[in-house]
Amino acid sequence: MIIRIDQRSEEPLYLQIRGQIIAAIATGELVPGASLPSVRALASDLGINLHTVNKAYAVLRDEGYVLMRGRSGAYIADPCEADRADRAQIELAKMEDELFELALAHRARGGSWGEFLECAQVQAARAYGAGERPGAQEPGAASHAENANVDRALSSEPAYQGGVS
């Protein structure tokens, strides 16, 4: 895995590192149990302060992506382990809150429901691979409720009928 940082970016360096490691996990480039470079080695390779790398690893650990094993270093966590599954539920709730905030901001700028769903669908396609739907990799992997949510999103049918529209 190659990590590239942009010193001119407004995004903090530790978040750039975090984002690239998460992307590598999502694409299968990094698998559960794979070790990450030591903090010192990665900082040296990138030409940055080791505290910056340490902060990126700490954030990844706190979010459940990475396990820290003392002097053995950092390893990619297995999302199927019981304690990681609990963390995944917490992160899912945070993601839902962030999506809600994005939807509100889009609506406040005059954006439509359909535009928001279209943008979300495009970004999900980027994350999962063009043309794939969540759970498409494994037959029957997605629950009936997940399939209903995807179908509803694709049809732009509102999931919530109450309140002000």
Side-chain angles (χ1 to χ4, degrees):
M1 180 181 109
I2 298 174
I3 294 179
R4 291 187 175 89
I5 57 169
D6 180 358
Q7 296 278 3
R8 295 172 297 196
S9 173
E10 290 186 21
E11 182 178 34
L13 298 178
Y14 80 96
L15 290 178
Q16 291 181 42
I17 295 167
R18 173 198 169 271
Q20 290 179 51
I21 290 173
I22 291 172
I25 293 168
T27 60
E29 188 177 349
L30 289 173
V31 296
S35 65
L36 292 172
S38 73
V39 170
R40 285 189 197 281
L42 186 55
S44 175
D45 289 348
L46 297 175
I48 60 175
N49 190 299
L50 67 95
H51 295 294
T52 302
V53 175
N54 195 44
K55 185 171 182 178
Y57 281 13
V59 170
L60 289 163
R61 178 202 59 218
D62 293 346
E63 293 174 340
Y65 294 107
V66 169
L67 296 173
M68 303 299 275
R69 295 187 183 147
R71 297 184 91 34
S72 297
Y75 295 85
I76 303 303
D78 185 348
C80 297
E81 292 178 9
D83 59 334
R84 302 292 166 231
D86 292 341
R87 186 66 201 169
Q89 288 293 25
I90 292 168
E91 291 300 321
L92 179 62
K94 281 175 48 181
M95 180 196 66
E96 289 172 345
D97 290 342
E98 290 170 9
L99 282 170
F100 178 72
E101 293 296 324
L102 288 170
L104 283 177
H106 180 73
R107 183 176 182 186
R109 288 189 299 272
S112 72
W113 176 291
E115 289 170 334
F116 182 81
L117 290 178
E118 184 178 328
C119 289
Q121 183 180 0
V122 167
Q123 296 311 312
R126 273 180 66 196
Y128 285 93
E132 290 183 12
R133 286 179 37 175
Q137 306 88 331
E138 303 171 29
S143 71
H144 176 70
E146 289 170 334
N147 286 333
N149 287 338
V150 169
D151 292 340
R152 182 173 34 253
L154 294 174
S155 70
S156 297
E157 172 189 330
Y160 175 69
Q161 300 292 331
V164 179
S165 54

